[in-house]
Amino acid sequence: MYWKPVFNVLEDAVEVMLVNARHVKAVKGRKTDERDCERLADLLRHGLLKPSFIPPPSIRALRELTRYRESLVREQTALSNRIEKLAESGNVKIGQVPSRTMGMSGREMLTKISRGETNTEALADLARGRLKEKRASLQRALEGRLTETQRWVLGELLKRYDEVEAALERVQQRLDEQIRRDPDPFVAKAPQLLEAIPGIGTSVAQTIISEMGVNMAAFPTTRHVTSWAGMCSGNDESAGKRRNPRTNPADRYLRAALCEAAWAASHTKNTYPVAQYKRLVRRMPKKKALMAVGHTLLVIVYKILSTGQTYRELGGAYFERQNPQATQRRLIRRLEALGLKVTVQNAA
Protein backbone atom coordinates (compact mmCIF):
# COMPACT_ATOMS: atom_id res chain seq x y z
CA MET A 1 0.00 0.00 0.00
CA TYR A 2 1.50 3.32 -1.06
CA TRP A 3 0.54 6.78 0.20
CA LYS A 4 1.01 10.28 -1.21
CA PRO A 5 1.51 13.34 1.00
CA VAL A 6 -0.37 16.46 -0.11
CA PHE A 7 0.60 19.84 1.34
CA ASN A 8 -2.13 22.39 2.06
CA VAL A 9 -0.57 25.82 2.63
CA LEU A 10 -2.54 27.86 5.15
CA GLU A 11 -1.90 31.40 6.39
CA ASP A 12 0.87 30.66 8.91
CA ALA A 13 1.33 26.88 8.69
CA VAL A 14 1.50 23.96 6.29
CA GLU A 15 -1.01 21.14 6.73
CA VAL A 16 0.07 17.72 5.49
CA MET A 17 -2.70 15.46 4.20
CA LEU A 18 -1.90 11.79 3.59
CA VAL A 19 -4.04 10.23 0.84
CA ASN A 20 -4.22 6.77 -0.67
CA ALA A 21 -2.50 6.54 -4.04
CA ARG A 22 -5.23 4.22 -5.33
CA HIS A 23 -7.81 6.96 -4.82
CA VAL A 24 -5.91 9.61 -6.81
CA LYS A 25 -4.49 7.45 -9.55
CA ALA A 26 -4.32 9.28 -12.87
CA VAL A 27 -5.01 7.94 -16.35
CA LYS A 28 -1.94 6.31 -17.83
CA GLY A 29 0.10 8.28 -20.32
CA ARG A 30 2.06 11.55 -20.24
CA LYS A 31 2.75 11.15 -16.54
CA THR A 32 5.36 13.48 -15.06
CA ASP A 33 5.99 14.77 -11.56
CA GLU A 34 4.93 18.29 -12.55
CA ARG A 35 1.62 17.09 -14.02
CA ASP A 36 1.07 14.89 -10.99
CA CYS A 37 1.56 17.83 -8.61
CA GLU A 38 -0.79 20.02 -10.66
CA ARG A 39 -3.48 17.34 -10.67
CA LEU A 40 -3.21 16.78 -6.89
CA ALA A 41 -3.34 20.53 -6.25
CA ASP A 42 -6.45 20.81 -8.44
CA LEU A 43 -8.14 17.94 -6.58
CA LEU A 44 -7.27 19.52 -3.24
CA ARG A 45 -8.61 22.90 -4.37
CA HIS A 46 -11.98 21.37 -5.20
CA GLY A 47 -12.15 19.26 -2.01
CA LEU A 48 -11.91 15.92 -3.81
CA LEU A 49 -9.12 14.47 -1.67
CA LYS A 50 -10.05 12.27 1.27
CA PRO A 51 -7.39 12.10 4.03
CA SER A 52 -6.29 8.67 5.18
CA PHE A 53 -6.76 7.49 8.75
CA ILE A 54 -3.86 8.41 11.04
CA PRO A 55 -4.27 7.50 14.73
CA PRO A 56 -3.35 9.98 17.47
CA PRO A 57 0.20 9.94 18.93
CA SER A 58 -0.79 7.87 21.99
CA ILE A 59 -2.26 5.13 19.79
CA ARG A 60 0.79 5.24 17.52
CA ALA A 61 2.94 4.65 20.60
CA LEU A 62 0.88 1.56 21.43
CA ARG A 63 1.27 0.43 17.83
CA GLU A 64 5.06 0.56 18.14
CA LEU A 65 4.93 -1.66 21.22
CA THR A 66 2.49 -4.24 19.84
CA ARG A 67 4.38 -4.56 16.56
CA TYR A 68 7.65 -4.97 18.45
CA ARG A 69 5.98 -7.66 20.56
CA GLU A 70 4.80 -9.42 17.42
CA SER A 71 8.34 -9.47 16.03
CA LEU A 72 9.60 -10.95 19.31
CA VAL A 73 6.95 -13.68 19.19
CA ARG A 74 7.99 -14.59 15.64
CA GLU A 75 11.64 -14.67 16.70
CA GLN A 76 10.85 -16.85 19.70
CA THR A 77 8.89 -19.28 17.53
CA ALA A 78 11.79 -19.50 15.08
CA LEU A 79 14.20 -20.21 17.94
CA SER A 80 11.92 -22.92 19.32
CA ASN A 81 11.78 -24.62 15.92
CA ARG A 82 15.54 -24.33 15.51
CA ILE A 83 16.17 -25.86 18.95
CA GLU A 84 13.87 -28.80 18.25
CA LYS A 85 15.48 -29.37 14.85
CA LEU A 86 18.97 -29.30 16.37
CA ALA A 87 17.96 -31.81 19.03
CA GLU A 88 16.48 -34.15 16.42
CA SER A 89 19.70 -33.96 14.40
CA GLY A 90 21.31 -35.77 17.36
CA ASN A 91 18.39 -38.24 17.55
CA VAL A 92 16.95 -36.56 20.67
CA LYS A 93 13.19 -36.78 20.03
CA ILE A 94 12.11 -34.67 22.97
CA GLY A 95 9.46 -32.91 20.90
CA GLN A 96 7.45 -36.13 20.50
CA VAL A 97 6.67 -36.76 24.19
CA PRO A 98 5.81 -33.47 25.98
CA SER A 99 3.07 -31.27 24.58
CA ARG A 100 5.44 -28.27 24.61
CA THR A 101 9.10 -28.72 23.83
CA MET A 102 10.02 -25.38 25.42
CA GLY A 103 8.02 -25.92 28.58
CA MET A 104 9.73 -25.86 31.96
CA SER A 105 10.53 -29.59 31.90
CA GLY A 106 11.73 -29.58 28.31
CA ARG A 107 13.95 -26.54 28.80
CA GLU A 108 15.60 -28.02 31.89
CA MET A 109 16.32 -31.25 30.02
CA LEU A 110 17.73 -29.40 27.02
CA THR A 111 19.89 -27.27 29.31
CA LYS A 112 21.33 -30.40 30.94
CA ILE A 113 21.96 -31.94 27.52
CA SER A 114 23.78 -28.80 26.36
CA ARG A 115 26.06 -29.14 29.40
CA GLY A 116 26.99 -32.71 28.53
CA GLU A 117 24.47 -34.83 30.46
CA THR A 118 23.80 -38.17 28.73
CA ASN A 119 22.12 -40.22 31.51
CA THR A 120 18.52 -40.61 30.36
CA GLU A 121 17.29 -41.58 33.84
CA ALA A 122 18.71 -38.39 35.33
CA LEU A 123 17.17 -36.36 32.51
CA ALA A 124 13.78 -38.05 32.93
CA ASP A 125 13.82 -37.14 36.64
CA LEU A 126 13.46 -33.50 35.59
CA ALA A 127 9.92 -34.14 34.34
CA ARG A 128 7.16 -32.22 36.09
CA GLY A 129 3.43 -32.61 36.44
CA ARG A 130 1.69 -35.12 34.20
CA LEU A 131 4.86 -35.63 32.18
CA LYS A 132 6.08 -37.95 34.97
CA GLU A 133 3.52 -40.51 33.77
CA LYS A 134 5.42 -40.77 30.45
CA ARG A 135 8.77 -41.55 32.04
CA ALA A 136 9.45 -44.66 29.92
CA SER A 137 8.65 -42.90 26.64
CA LEU A 138 10.68 -39.90 27.76
CA GLN A 139 13.77 -42.02 28.39
CA ARG A 140 13.55 -43.57 24.94
CA ALA A 141 13.15 -40.14 23.36
CA LEU A 142 16.27 -38.84 25.15
CA GLU A 143 18.55 -41.65 23.96
CA GLY A 144 20.37 -39.47 21.47
CA ARG A 145 23.90 -38.23 21.14
CA LEU A 146 24.90 -34.68 20.33
CA THR A 147 28.39 -33.67 19.33
CA GLU A 148 30.34 -31.09 21.30
CA THR A 149 29.64 -28.44 18.68
CA GLN A 150 25.91 -29.24 18.66
CA ARG A 151 25.76 -28.96 22.46
CA TRP A 152 27.46 -25.56 22.30
CA VAL A 153 25.02 -24.30 19.65
CA LEU A 154 22.12 -25.69 21.71
CA GLY A 155 23.31 -23.74 24.75
CA GLU A 156 23.57 -20.54 22.72
CA LEU A 157 20.07 -21.01 21.30
CA LEU A 158 18.65 -21.58 24.79
CA LYS A 159 20.33 -18.40 26.05
CA ARG A 160 18.89 -16.46 23.12
CA TYR A 161 15.45 -17.95 23.80
CA ASP A 162 15.63 -16.76 27.43
CA GLU A 163 16.68 -13.29 26.28
CA VAL A 164 13.71 -13.03 23.91
CA GLU A 165 11.36 -14.26 26.63
CA ALA A 166 12.68 -11.60 29.03
CA ALA A 167 12.23 -8.97 26.30
CA LEU A 168 8.62 -10.12 25.83
CA GLU A 169 7.95 -9.67 29.53
CA ARG A 170 9.45 -6.18 29.48
CA VAL A 171 7.48 -5.05 26.44
CA GLN A 172 4.27 -6.47 27.91
CA GLN A 173 4.81 -4.55 31.14
CA ARG A 174 5.52 -1.39 29.17
CA LEU A 175 2.39 -1.95 27.06
CA ASP A 176 0.16 -2.43 30.11
CA GLU A 177 1.59 0.70 31.70
CA GLN A 178 1.13 2.70 28.49
CA ILE A 179 -2.53 1.68 28.29
CA ARG A 180 -3.16 2.56 31.94
CA ARG A 181 -1.72 6.07 31.68
CA ASP A 182 -3.17 6.92 28.27
CA PRO A 183 -4.73 10.43 28.23
CA ASP A 184 -7.99 8.97 26.91
CA PRO A 185 -9.66 7.06 29.79
CA PHE A 186 -11.59 4.89 27.33
CA VAL A 187 -8.32 3.30 26.16
CA ALA A 188 -7.86 1.61 29.55
CA LYS A 189 -11.47 0.40 29.50
CA ALA A 190 -11.54 -0.84 25.90
CA PRO A 191 -9.46 -4.04 26.38
CA GLN A 192 -11.87 -5.32 29.01
CA LEU A 193 -14.83 -4.69 26.70
CA LEU A 194 -13.15 -6.48 23.78
CA GLU A 195 -12.02 -9.47 25.86
CA ALA A 196 -15.68 -10.36 26.43
CA ILE A 197 -15.96 -11.22 22.72
CA PRO A 198 -15.37 -14.96 22.06
CA GLY A 199 -11.89 -15.61 20.67
CA ILE A 200 -10.39 -12.25 21.65
CA GLY A 201 -7.80 -12.36 24.42
CA THR A 202 -5.63 -9.72 26.01
CA SER A 203 -2.91 -9.61 23.35
CA VAL A 204 -5.41 -9.57 20.46
CA ALA A 205 -7.44 -6.81 22.14
CA GLN A 206 -4.32 -4.71 22.61
CA THR A 207 -3.32 -5.24 18.99
CA ILE A 208 -6.77 -4.19 17.75
CA ILE A 209 -6.71 -1.02 19.87
CA SER A 210 -3.19 -0.13 18.75
CA GLU A 211 -4.05 -0.53 15.06
CA MET A 212 -7.57 0.98 15.01
CA GLY A 213 -7.64 3.23 18.02
CA VAL A 214 -10.78 3.69 20.09
CA ASN A 215 -12.35 6.65 18.24
CA MET A 216 -14.44 5.19 15.44
CA ALA A 217 -15.41 8.59 14.03
CA ALA A 218 -12.85 8.06 11.27
CA PHE A 219 -14.98 5.17 9.92
CA PRO A 220 -18.56 6.25 9.09
CA THR A 221 -19.93 2.71 8.76
CA THR A 222 -18.94 -0.89 9.29
CA ARG A 223 -18.29 -1.21 5.56
CA HIS A 224 -15.63 1.47 5.77
CA VAL A 225 -13.80 -0.18 8.66
CA THR A 226 -13.91 -3.69 7.15
CA SER A 227 -12.65 -2.36 3.82
CA TRP A 228 -9.87 -0.41 5.56
CA ALA A 229 -8.82 -3.51 7.50
CA GLY A 230 -8.92 -5.74 4.40
CA MET A 231 -11.46 -8.11 5.96
CA CYS A 232 -14.00 -8.01 3.10
CA SER A 233 -13.96 -9.27 -0.46
CA GLY A 234 -12.51 -7.08 -3.19
CA ASN A 235 -14.65 -5.26 -5.74
CA ASP A 236 -13.27 -5.90 -9.23
CA GLU A 237 -16.13 -6.16 -11.72
CA SER A 238 -16.26 -5.80 -15.47
CA ALA A 239 -19.16 -6.48 -17.85
CA GLY A 240 -21.24 -7.83 -14.98
CA LYS A 241 -18.60 -10.37 -13.93
CA ARG A 242 -16.63 -10.31 -10.70
CA ARG A 243 -13.06 -11.04 -11.70
CA ASN A 244 -11.11 -10.92 -8.46
CA PRO A 245 -13.05 -11.34 -5.19
CA ARG A 246 -9.92 -11.66 -3.05
CA THR A 247 -9.48 -9.35 -0.08
CA ASN A 248 -7.51 -6.16 -0.51
CA PRO A 249 -4.02 -5.83 1.00
CA ALA A 250 -4.27 -3.87 4.22
CA ASP A 251 -2.88 -3.79 7.76
CA ARG A 252 -1.30 -7.22 8.12
CA TYR A 253 -1.01 -6.93 11.90
CA LEU A 254 -4.74 -6.32 12.32
CA ARG A 255 -5.66 -9.04 9.81
CA ALA A 256 -3.45 -11.56 11.59
CA ALA A 257 -4.97 -10.67 14.97
CA LEU A 258 -8.53 -11.00 13.65
CA CYS A 259 -7.81 -14.32 11.95
CA GLU A 260 -6.23 -15.60 15.16
CA ALA A 261 -9.31 -14.51 17.09
CA ALA A 262 -11.59 -16.16 14.51
CA TRP A 263 -9.69 -19.45 14.83
CA ALA A 264 -10.02 -19.31 18.63
CA ALA A 265 -13.71 -18.38 18.38
CA SER A 266 -14.40 -21.33 16.07
CA HIS A 267 -13.37 -23.65 18.92
CA THR A 268 -15.68 -22.14 21.54
CA LYS A 269 -18.96 -23.69 22.62
CA ASN A 270 -22.49 -22.32 22.28
CA THR A 271 -21.48 -18.93 20.90
CA TYR A 272 -22.57 -16.93 17.88
CA PRO A 273 -19.15 -17.00 16.12
CA VAL A 274 -18.88 -20.80 16.29
CA ALA A 275 -22.45 -21.12 15.00
CA GLN A 276 -21.56 -18.87 12.08
CA TYR A 277 -18.38 -20.84 11.39
CA LYS A 278 -20.20 -24.21 11.37
CA ARG A 279 -22.88 -22.73 9.13
CA LEU A 280 -20.37 -21.41 6.58
CA VAL A 281 -17.79 -24.20 6.59
CA ARG A 282 -20.37 -26.59 5.08
CA ARG A 283 -20.28 -24.72 1.77
CA MET A 284 -16.85 -23.05 1.60
CA PRO A 285 -13.22 -23.77 2.56
CA LYS A 286 -12.15 -23.36 6.16
CA LYS A 287 -9.96 -20.33 5.49
CA LYS A 288 -12.79 -18.45 3.82
CA ALA A 289 -15.12 -19.31 6.69
CA LEU A 290 -12.52 -18.06 9.18
CA MET A 291 -12.15 -14.83 7.22
CA ALA A 292 -15.93 -14.37 7.39
CA VAL A 293 -15.88 -14.95 11.16
CA GLY A 294 -13.03 -12.44 11.45
CA HIS A 295 -15.17 -9.95 9.51
CA THR A 296 -17.98 -10.48 12.00
CA LEU A 297 -15.64 -10.01 14.96
CA LEU A 298 -14.41 -6.74 13.46
CA VAL A 299 -18.00 -5.52 13.09
CA ILE A 300 -18.65 -6.41 16.74
CA VAL A 301 -15.49 -4.57 17.79
CA TYR A 302 -16.58 -1.51 15.81
CA LYS A 303 -20.02 -1.50 17.47
CA ILE A 304 -18.56 -1.89 20.97
CA LEU A 305 -15.96 0.85 20.50
CA SER A 306 -18.54 3.16 18.92
CA THR A 307 -21.17 2.80 21.64
CA GLY A 308 -19.14 1.71 24.67
CA GLN A 309 -21.64 -1.06 25.40
CA THR A 310 -20.69 -4.54 26.57
CA TYR A 311 -20.83 -7.61 24.33
CA ARG A 312 -24.15 -9.45 24.29
CA GLU A 313 -23.93 -13.11 23.34
CA LEU A 314 -26.59 -14.30 20.87
CA GLY A 315 -25.96 -17.99 21.54
CA GLY A 316 -25.07 -20.97 19.41
CA ALA A 317 -28.70 -21.52 18.33
CA TYR A 318 -29.14 -18.03 16.88
CA PHE A 319 -29.48 -19.11 13.25
CA GLU A 320 -31.82 -21.95 14.17
CA ARG A 321 -34.09 -19.50 15.97
CA GLN A 322 -34.13 -17.23 12.92
CA ASN A 323 -35.75 -19.88 10.72
CA PRO A 324 -36.90 -22.92 12.73
CA GLN A 325 -38.85 -24.38 9.78
CA ALA A 326 -35.72 -24.59 7.65
CA THR A 327 -33.83 -26.26 10.50
CA GLN A 328 -36.65 -28.75 10.90
CA ARG A 329 -36.66 -29.62 7.18
CA ARG A 330 -32.90 -30.02 7.11
CA LEU A 331 -32.90 -32.42 10.08
CA ILE A 332 -35.76 -34.43 8.59
CA ARG A 333 -33.87 -34.82 5.31
CA ARG A 334 -30.81 -36.08 7.20
CA LEU A 335 -32.88 -38.68 9.04
CA GLU A 336 -34.58 -39.79 5.83
CA ALA A 337 -31.18 -40.15 4.16
CA LEU A 338 -30.35 -42.70 6.87
CA GLY A 339 -33.37 -44.79 5.84
CA LEU A 340 -35.74 -43.65 8.58
CA LYS A 341 -39.36 -42.64 8.21
CA VAL A 342 -40.02 -39.41 10.12
CA THR A 343 -43.37 -38.33 11.49
CA VAL A 344 -43.45 -34.81 12.93
CA GLN A 345 -45.86 -33.95 15.73
CA ASN A 346 -45.94 -30.68 17.59
CA ALA A 347 -45.32 -30.86 21.34
CA ALA A 348 -48.10 -29.86 23.70
Side-chain angles (χ1 to χ4, degrees):
M1 188 70 68
Y2 299 94
W3 310 94
K4 286 188 176 182
V6 179
F7 299 91
N8 186 12
V9 181
L10 303 177
E11 294 181 357
D12 299 327
V14 176
E15 179 185 357
V16 180
M17 180 187 298
L18 198 65
V19 298
N20 193 341
R22 283 184 66 184
H23 300 163
V24 293
K25 188 176 181 181
V27 180
K28 292 183 179 180
R30 300 183 64 187
K31 195 275 183 190
T32 62
D33 292 342
E34 291 79 5
R35 291 179 179 273
D36 203 14
C37 293
E38 292 176 1
R39 182 175 53 83
L40 292 176
D42 188 55
L43 292 175
L44 179 63
R45 187 183 305 113
H46 291 85
L48 298 178
L49 292 182
K50 182 180 179 182
S52 299
F53 168 68
I54 300 178
S58 60
I59 299 299
R60 294 203 300 269
L62 293 178
R63 180 179 293 183
E64 293 289 343
L65 294 173
T66 54
R67 292 186 178 184
Y68 175 57
R69 181 183 62 183
E70 193 268 345
S71 66
L72 289 177
V73 171
R74 285 190 285 109
E75 184 178 357
Q76 191 180 41
T77 303
L79 286 171
S80 177
N81 295 335
R82 184 71 182 90
I83 289 171
E84 186 172 354
K85 183 179 179 181
L86 178 62
E88 289 186 355
S89 66
N91 202 29
V92 178
K93 307 293 184 179
I94 189 174
Q96 298 182 0
V97 181
S99 58
R100 293 178 63 246
T101 304
M102 298 306 295
M104 295 187 65
S105 301
R107 289 167 66 175
E108 290 184 2
M109 295 175 191
L110 290 172
T111 302
K112 289 289 186 180
I113 292 174
S114 66
R115 296 174 181 174
E117 182 65 54
T118 57
N119 188 354
T120 57
E121 294 183 0
L123 292 173
D125 291 337
L126 299 175
R128 301 184 181 185
R130 300 184 62 180
L131 189 58
K132 294 180 180 179
E133 302 174 1
K134 305 177 182 179
R135 182 182 176 86
S137 302
L138 193 58
Q139 288 185 12
R140 289 194 299 268
L142 295 172
E143 289 178 354
R145 291 295 183 270
L146 295 177
T147 63
E148 183 179 356
T149 303
Q150 288 175 330
R151 289 197 300 270
W152 185 87
V153 174
L154 179 60
E156 292 296 315
L157 290 174
L158 290 172
K159 291 179 183 178
R160 181 58 183 160
Y161 187 90
D162 294 337
E163 293 174 358
V164 175
E165 190 173 38
L168 273 172
E169 294 178 0
R170 291 194 300 269
V171 71
Q172 187 61 49
Q173 293 176 1
R174 174 70 178 182
L175 185 58
D176 295 338
E177 179 184 357
Q178 194 94 359
I179 290 177
R180 283 196 302 268
R181 60 185 179 88
D182 193 273
D184 187 356
F186 188 62
V187 174
K189 182 182 177 182
Q192 300 177 358
L193 295 175
L194 298 185
E195 289 175 22
I197 304 174
I200 295 182
T202 303
S203 61
V204 174
Q206 293 174 348
T207 301
I208 292 174
I209 293 172
S210 66
E211 298 297 332
M212 294 177 52
V214 295
N215 185 8
M216 297 292 103
F219 308 105
T221 63
T222 56
R223 292 187 176 184
H224 288 82
V225 69
T226 53
S227 177
W228 174 83
M231 294 300 295
C232 62
S233 58
N235 190 9
D236 186 5
E237 182 178 329
S238 178
K241 294 183 179 180
R242 294 189 62 187
R243 299 185 297 183
N244 187 6
R246 289 181 293 183
T247 57
N248 297 325
D251 191 338
R252 68 179 184 90
Y253 298 95
L254 181 59
R255 282 166 58 99
L258 291 173
C259 291
E260 178 184 348
W263 178 253
S266 66
H267 289 73
T268 56
K269 295 182 179 179
N270 195 27
T271 60
Y272 173 80
V274 72
Q276 183 191 22
Y277 174 76
K278 291 181 179 179
R279 179 170 174 261
L280 295 176
V281 79
R282 289 196 295 262
R283 61 175 185 269
M284 64 176 62
K286 291 183 178 180
K287 292 184 178 180
K288 286 188 176 182
L290 288 174
M291 185 64 70
V293 175
H295 176 277
T296 301
L297 294 179
L298 180 58
V299 172
I300 296 174
V301 168
Y302 175 82
K303 295 292 185 180
I304 289 177
L305 295 179
S306 300
T307 61
Q309 299 177 358
T310 58
Y311 173 72
R312 183 171 60 89
E313 178 58 57
L314 298 178
Y318 173 78
F319 296 102
E320 296 179 359
R321 294 195 302 267
Q322 293 299 107
N323 193 350
Q325 290 79 15
T327 303
Q328 180 179 348
R329 291 193 298 268
R330 176 172 57 83
L331 295 177
I332 290 175
R333 286 196 301 268
R334 291 185 61 182
L335 291 174
E336 291 176 347
L338 296 175
L340 301 177
K341 183 178 180 180
V342 181
T343 302
V344 180
Q345 182 178 1
N346 294 328

